[in-house]
Amino acid sequence: MIAPRVDLNADVGESFGAWTLGQDPALFPHITSANVACGFHAGDPGVMRATVALAREHGVAVGAHPGFRDLAGFGRREIRVPPREVEDLVAYQIGALAGIAAAQGVRLQHVKAHGALYNMAAADAALADAIARATAAVDPSLVFLGLPGSQLLAAGERAGLRTAAEVFADRAYRADGSLLPRTESGAVIHDEDAVIERVLAMVRDRAVSAVDGTRVPLRVDTICVHGDTPGAARLAARIRAALEKAGVRVAAFRGP
Amino acid sequence: MIAPRVDLNADVGESFGAWTLGQDPALFPHITSANVACGFHAGDPGVMRATVALAREHGVAVGAHPGFRDLAGFGRREIRVPPREVEDLVAYQIGALAGIAAAQGVRLQHVKAHGALYNMAAADAALADAIARATAAVDPSLVFLGLPGSQLLAAGERAGLRTAAEVFADRAYRADGSLLPRTESGAVIHDEDAVIERVLAMVRDRAVSAVDGTRVPLRVDTICVHGDTPGAARLAARIRAALEKAGVRVAAFRGP
Amino acid sequence: MIAPRVDLNADVGESFGAWTLGQDPALFPHITSANVACGFHAGDPGVMRATVALAREHGVAVGAHPGFRDLAGFGRREIRVPPREVEDLVAYQIGALAGIAAAQGVRLQHVKAHGALYNMAAADAALADAIARATAAVDPSLVFLGLPGSQLLAAGERAGLRTAAEVFADRAYRADGSLLPRTESGAVIHDEDAVIERVLAMVRDRAVSAVDGTRVPLRVDTICVHGDTPGAARLAARIRAALEKAGVRVAAFRGP
Amino acid sequence: MIAPRVDLNADVGESFGAWTLGQDPALFPHITSANVACGFHAGDPGVMRATVALAREHGVAVGAHPGFRDLAGFGRREIRVPPREVEDLVAYQIGALAGIAAAQGVRLQHVKAHGALYNMAAADAALADAIARATAAVDPSLVFLGLPGSQLLAAGERAGLRTAAEVFADRAYRADGSLLPRTESGAVIHDEDAVIERVLAMVRDRAVSAVDGTRVPLRVDTICVHGDTPGAARLAARIRAALEKAGVRVAAFRGP
């Protein structure tokens, strides 16, 4: 019997110029895949270079985390951008990070859309196809991340990409497999022990208990750990230790 | 005897969003290498995609034209940026264009710094090295453009890159091989016949007559045609026709 | 009997850095109120200064034309910005233009939201209130423009501002008084004689014929002339001449 | 005999979007004048609004802190901008903050240039005049800050503005009254007791001991407290307490 395997990803490289955000140095020892901001919603060329260097140092796989061109809103605001333009801005951002990474001898492993772009594309096939098409056109070997059951994963498959289904360690799910919106009470699970129990169950059972008690089957290829909350690094360390103790192999998609 | 050969380059893709600049569609039939703005001083992902498409349609080789992050100043203002940051922003911009180009099956041929970055680096070895290092690190097969005798060309050679010496069709030269600054009278040659005569002489003799009459030997691999002046496309057409009539092969660096 | 009176407004100052847009010098002799872009979707401090100078030279009243922070999209893309942030960005932009204008001894006359902000606020009371509140808070004497019957005009009144109802010279209307979207055929009226006939009728009858033939009563305080189409200046001149010939006084809100 | 009086100023409002910088809430109880970033090098409309609200709450006078358009470089990089453009960007930024402040019933008290703009203008009369002219043109009642003996103060006087000479609590001075550059050892004084002793001496004696022991007479109207170092708020509190204990009145320029 093959041991279960899962990837641990986090959004990193979200500083900009004089402004620092997140706890990348503390987080990198515990994750296996890094989603690096590409300069449109966060990150700048110097931050990207330093983030790729950190990833290389820790043996963490590097992926692009393209977002809307919206520094002021951190890519979290919905912007009505035609799919053709989304395709261009995703190709641009993947290429930019690929350039920064190539300069350090690093090849990109994956692509995960950021913020409002991720959320809008999860439900909008045309946007999702635009992101997937750009990814496949720039480099067809890239792994394409999205919510299980979302338009993003479907678009990745339509574009011929290897896809990875992403679950969230600390978020409540609805019976249809979607995330309970942050505006609802109970959307974020703050109890660390509960989060770890939940992650173990998701990886073991390939299912999650929805807020109404329904058991929702769930494809689980990678677990997203939030990097911008206090204690994020410690939680990531505990999740990883618990997974490994349970016999789960925690490794990047392209890992050995 | 091998026929003389020269490349004709122009700065293109300098529109942004709703704003159009230059006469790219009229210019592309006549040039062999296109320096495409990469979004920091001009250009955006959509403009870059359309520009690469035009280049592909006309069989024109595509190069990156990285500049300072300065949309408001079009990259023409000197900014004191440490070489380490210049290296990052050049790698970023080359990568971004490479991504956009790869999505169309096009590989980059060359890199030419833009505006104030080009001018500052021509005289500043540390800046020039930063640009050349970034270029070589992203893709060591890229051809690296610079003024003959400038720090840029020297840096390109130090970085192990194939270099190309660029002359300007319509600019006056000083006895030391540098361009007469635009602020001096006679810096730009407006008479088209004189420009063509001059280009033919530079390619034939590998030398130019300086403003004081001195004959300045000049390495000539590519001729820069300005794209932002009225009549630019017609002048490019006339230069190309005159060169071809004189038996010069006009072709990109990687051309057949 | 008091002669009918109307204002002629146009969006101006939409250049940015090296990029020029519109035909401001040709347009200014014919309009009475100028909506000046404030740097978020178009315009920069130098363009704003030059535009205010042109307005002063031609005796044209100056107003702020605040938009979303979206140079790449020219403020035409819908962005989900909370009303609180909209209030701040409108206050910022009005203040910025007021500073540029004060430096030339000019006081602002009015405020008209731009592009997607205008369109979204026309139908969204919370956004409209945010724009009106910011306007009133910065300077309660500013005139507030909006579509007749829109949330913008209602919000202006709630905020205690003097309002001005704006009609479009070259756009088709629906029976409910809203504009036929540009995506529908016949949305823009291209025949100049028809446009002029229509403007005269709107000012005379305070009503317009909708696309289905319905007669829609319409408050008409100002007519918007588009500045970004070829022939815009000539059309503005013809509209003004026709209005004046018909005995209509064409003057800014604060005009004599 | 009139009690000596001095203002305590700090640079504040330097956050941007999702990024937080500085310790404004801890600092405001101790300063008398706040230099608020205006969106070009730091700050955004929401940050500016919140910063003005903090200032109002603490009875702190509000001033504009205009800088180069350089978010990525935090306004600390020298950019060669013609004086005419500097004049425009300063007028724009003062106006923007004045708009945000007016919306809260607050009038601006002063203007202090930021970062590279401040440093370049200290030695460049044309730049200094541009900043002073813009300030006087927007509002001639604004107090204009600069290093004693610098071109900024001279320009402020030429423009007819009330000026205020600014000293730095924790910086070493050279015999000519200029600051020892940060690149030199000993440029920043880290010992808090020494800083406080120094501030008391400067206010009492209107002079400072230069690094070579020379006694340099110094006009002292306001003391700059850095807000971006750890412990800044505590140091500000100690400086203020020491000044008040020594009988110095610590108050804004327009204070009672």
Side-chain angles (χ1 to χ4, degrees):
Chain A
M1 191 198 138
I2 297 169
R5 169 180 179 150
V6 80
D7 171 75
L8 273 188
N9 80 75
D11 300 348
V12 294
E14 297 186 328
S15 297
F16 183 81
W19 294 283
T20 299
L21 198 77
Q23 308 142 46
D24 293 2
L27 201 59
F28 265 105
H30 311 301
I31 60 174
T32 50
S33 290
N35 317 312
V36 182
C38 299
F40 271 45
H41 69 277
D44 64 37
V47 168
M48 290 160 72
R49 186 239 316 147
T51 306
V52 169
L54 260 181
R56 194 172 59 162
E57 185 187 328
H58 291 283
V60 171
V62 173
H65 195 42
F68 284 126
R69 184 197 284 264
D70 182 18
L71 280 178
F74 204 68
R76 288 180 179 149
R77 305 188 294 203
E78 291 190 13
I79 310 183
R80 293 284 148 201
V81 179
R84 173 71 263 187
E85 286 181 43
V86 165
E87 193 171 337
D88 296 333
L89 66 83
V90 168
Y92 181 101
Q93 292 180 67
I94 297 173
L97 181 64
I100 293 281
Q104 299 181 56
V106 171
R107 252 193 89 196
L108 302 190
Q109 173 199 242
H110 68 283
V111 168
K112 173 182 163 185
H114 167 81
L117 183 59
Y118 183 93
N119 293 332
M120 290 169 77
D124 179 332
L127 275 189
D129 278 329
I131 303 172
R133 258 200 317 267
T135 301
V138 174
D139 178 354
S141 75
L142 291 164
V143 180
F144 195 69
L145 271 64
L147 281 184
S150 71
Q151 291 294 343
L152 272 168
L153 278 205
E157 273 149 32
R158 279 193 291 271
L161 293 164
R162 173 175 167 191
T163 59
E166 168 177 63
V167 297
F168 291 84
D170 61 352
R171 293 291 299 278
Y173 281 77
R174 293 190 289 204
D176 65 355
S178 67
L179 297 173
L180 192 66
R182 282 177 183 274
T183 45
E184 312 249 337
S185 106
V188 179
I189 302 158
H190 296 286
D191 180 70
E192 282 197 9
D193 293 331
V195 169
I196 286 162
E197 203 45 61
R198 192 171 178 81
V199 165
L200 287 173
M202 286 198 286
V203 173
R204 186 185 56 225
D205 308 336
R206 307 286 152 168
V208 70
S209 285
V211 281
D212 65 356
T214 316
R215 194 172 178 275
V216 184
L218 214 56
R219 186 178 147 202
V220 181
D221 300 315
T222 182
I223 299 161
C224 181
V225 182
H226 287 110
D228 53 356
T229 46
R234 195 193 51 206
L235 180 58
R238 288 193 60 194
I239 289 173
R240 181 164 187 166
L243 285 166
E244 289 177 341
K245 194 176 159 206
V248 177
R249 195 141 71 78
V250 181
F253 308 115
R254 283 197 195 142
Chain B
M1 194 199 134
I2 295 169
R5 170 180 178 149
V6 80
D7 170 74
L8 274 188
N9 81 74
D11 301 350
V12 295
E14 297 186 328
S15 297
F16 183 80
W19 294 284
T20 299
L21 198 77
Q23 307 140 45
D24 293 3
L27 202 59
F28 265 106
H30 311 301
I31 60 175
T32 50
S33 290
N35 317 312
V36 181
C38 298
F40 271 44
H41 69 275
D44 64 36
V47 168
M48 290 161 71
R49 186 239 315 147
T51 307
V52 169
L54 260 182
R56 194 171 62 162
E57 185 187 327
H58 290 282
V60 170
V62 172
H65 195 43
F68 283 127
R69 186 198 282 263
D70 182 18
L71 279 179
F74 204 70
R76 288 181 179 148
R77 306 188 293 203
E78 291 191 12
I79 309 183
R80 292 286 148 201
V81 179
R84 173 72 262 186
E85 286 182 43
V86 165
E87 194 171 335
D88 296 334
L89 67 84
V90 169
Y92 181 101
Q93 292 181 65
I94 297 174
L97 182 64
I100 293 280
Q104 299 180 55
V106 171
R107 253 194 89 196
L108 301 191
Q109 174 199 239
H110 68 283
V111 169
K112 174 182 163 183
H114 166 81
L117 182 59
Y118 182 93
N119 293 331
M120 291 169 77
D124 180 331
L127 275 189
D129 277 330
I131 303 172
R133 259 200 316 269
T135 302
V138 175
D139 178 355
S141 76
L142 290 164
V143 180
F144 195 67
L145 271 66
L147 280 184
S150 71
Q151 291 294 343
L152 271 169
L153 277 205
E157 272 148 32
R158 279 194 291 273
L161 292 164
R162 172 174 168 192
T163 59
E166 169 177 63
V167 297
F168 290 85
D170 60 354
R171 293 292 299 276
Y173 282 77
R174 292 190 291 206
D176 66 355
S178 68
L179 296 173
L180 191 66
R182 281 177 184 273
T183 45
E184 311 250 337
S185 104
V188 179
I189 300 158
H190 296 288
D191 180 72
E192 283 198 8
D193 292 332
V195 169
I196 287 163
E197 203 46 60
R198 191 171 178 82
V199 165
L200 287 174
M202 287 197 287
V203 173
R204 186 185 56 224
D205 308 336
R206 307 285 152 170
V208 71
S209 285
V211 280
D212 66 356
T214 316
R215 193 171 178 276
V216 184
L218 214 56
R219 186 178 147 204
V220 181
D221 300 317
T222 182
I223 298 162
C224 181
V225 182
H226 287 109
D228 53 356
T229 46
R234 195 193 49 207
L235 180 58
R238 288 193 59 194
I239 289 173
R240 182 164 188 166
L243 285 166
E244 290 178 339
K245 193 176 160 205
V248 177
R249 195 141 71 78
V250 181
F253 309 115
R254 283 197 194 142
Chain C
M1 194 198 136
I2 295 168
R5 169 179 178 151
V6 80
D7 171 74
L8 273 188
N9 80 75
D11 300 349
V12 294
E14 296 186 328
S15 296
F16 183 80
W19 294 283
T20 299
L21 197 78
Q23 307 141 46
D24 292 3
L27 203 58
F28 265 104
H30 311 301
I31 60 175
T32 50
S33 290
N35 317 312
V36 182
C38 298
F40 271 44
H41 68 277
D44 64 35
V47 167
M48 290 160 72
R49 186 239 315 147
T51 306
V52 169
L54 260 182
R56 194 172 60 162
E57 185 187 329
H58 290 283
V60 170
V62 173
H65 195 42
F68 284 126
R69 185 198 282 263
D70 183 18
L71 279 179
F74 204 69
R76 287 180 179 149
R77 306 189 293 203
E78 291 191 12
I79 310 183
R80 292 284 148 202
V81 179
R84 172 72 263 187
E85 286 182 42
V86 165
E87 193 171 336
D88 296 334
L89 66 82
V90 169
Y92 181 101
Q93 292 181 66
I94 298 174
L97 180 65
I100 294 280
Q104 300 181 54
V106 171
R107 254 194 90 197
L108 302 190
Q109 174 199 243
H110 68 284
V111 169
K112 173 181 163 183
H114 167 81
L117 183 58
Y118 183 93
N119 293 332
M120 291 169 77
D124 179 332
L127 275 189
D129 277 330
I131 304 171
R133 260 200 315 268
T135 301
V138 174
D139 178 354
S141 76
L142 290 164
V143 180
F144 195 68
L145 271 65
L147 280 184
S150 71
Q151 291 293 345
L152 271 169
L153 277 205
E157 271 148 32
R158 280 193 292 273
L161 292 164
R162 173 175 168 189
T163 59
E166 168 177 63
V167 297
F168 291 84
D170 60 354
R171 291 294 297 278
Y173 281 77
R174 292 191 290 206
D176 65 356
S178 68
L179 296 174
L180 191 66
R182 281 177 184 275
T183 44
E184 312 249 337
S185 106
V188 179
I189 300 158
H190 296 287
D191 180 70
E192 282 198 9
D193 292 332
V195 169
I196 287 163
E197 201 46 60
R198 192 169 178 82
V199 165
L200 287 174
M202 286 197 286
V203 173
R204 185 186 57 224
D205 307 337
R206 308 287 152 167
V208 70
S209 285
V211 279
D212 66 356
T214 315
R215 194 173 179 274
V216 184
L218 214 56
R219 186 179 146 203
V220 181
D221 299 316
T222 181
I223 299 162
C224 182
V225 182
H226 288 109
D228 53 357
T229 45
R234 194 193 51 207
L235 180 58
R238 288 193 59 193
I239 289 173
R240 182 164 187 165
L243 285 166
E244 290 178 340
K245 193 175 159 206
V248 177
R249 195 141 71 78
V250 181
F253 310 115
R254 282 197 194 142
Chain D
M1 193 199 136
I2 296 169
R5 169 182 180 148
V6 80
D7 171 74
L8 274 187
N9 80 75
D11 300 349
V12 295
E14 296 186 327
S15 297
F16 183 81
W19 294 284
T20 299
L21 197 78
Q23 307 140 45
D24 292 3
L27 202 58
F28 265 104
H30 312 301
I31 59 175
T32 49
S33 290
N35 317 312
V36 182
C38 299
F40 271 44
H41 69 277
D44 64 36
V47 168
M48 291 161 71
R49 186 239 317 148
T51 307
V52 169
L54 261 181
R56 194 172 60 161
E57 185 186 328
H58 290 282
V60 170
V62 173
H65 196 42
F68 284 127
R69 184 198 284 263
D70 182 19
L71 280 178
F74 204 68
R76 289 180 178 149
R77 307 189 292 204
E78 291 191 12
I79 309 183
R80 293 285 148 202
V81 179
R84 172 72 260 187
E85 285 180 44
V86 166
E87 193 170 337
D88 295 334
L89 67 84
V90 169
Y92 181 101
Q93 292 180 66
I94 297 173
L97 181 65
I100 294 280
Q104 299 181 55
V106 170
R107 253 193 89 194
L108 302 190
Q109 175 199 239
H110 68 282
V111 169
K112 174 182 164 183
H114 167 81
L117 182 59
Y118 183 91
N119 293 332
M120 291 170 77
D124 180 331
L127 275 188
D129 277 329
I131 303 172
R133 258 200 317 268
T135 302
V138 174
D139 178 355
S141 76
L142 291 163
V143 181
F144 194 69
L145 270 66
L147 281 184
S150 70
Q151 291 294 344
L152 272 168
L153 277 205
E157 272 148 31
R158 279 193 291 273
L161 293 163
R162 174 175 166 189
T163 60
E166 169 178 60
V167 298
F168 290 84
D170 61 353
R171 292 292 299 276
Y173 281 78
R174 293 190 289 206
D176 65 355
S178 67
L179 297 173
L180 192 65
R182 281 176 184 274
T183 45
E184 312 249 337
S185 105
V188 178
I189 301 158
H190 296 287
D191 181 70
E192 282 197 8
D193 292 332
V195 169
I196 286 162
E197 203 45 61
R198 192 171 178 81
V199 165
L200 287 173
M202 286 198 286
V203 172
R204 186 185 57 225
D205 307 337
R206 308 285 152 170
V208 71
S209 285
V211 281
D212 67 356
T214 316
R215 194 172 178 275
V216 184
L218 215 57
R219 186 179 147 203
V220 180
D221 300 317
T222 181
I223 299 162
C224 182
V225 183
H226 287 111
D228 53 357
T229 46
R234 196 193 49 207
L235 180 58
R238 289 193 59 195
I239 289 173
R240 181 163 188 166
L243 285 166
E244 289 177 341
K245 194 176 159 207
V248 176
R249 196 140 70 79
V250 181
F253 308 115
R254 283 196 194 144

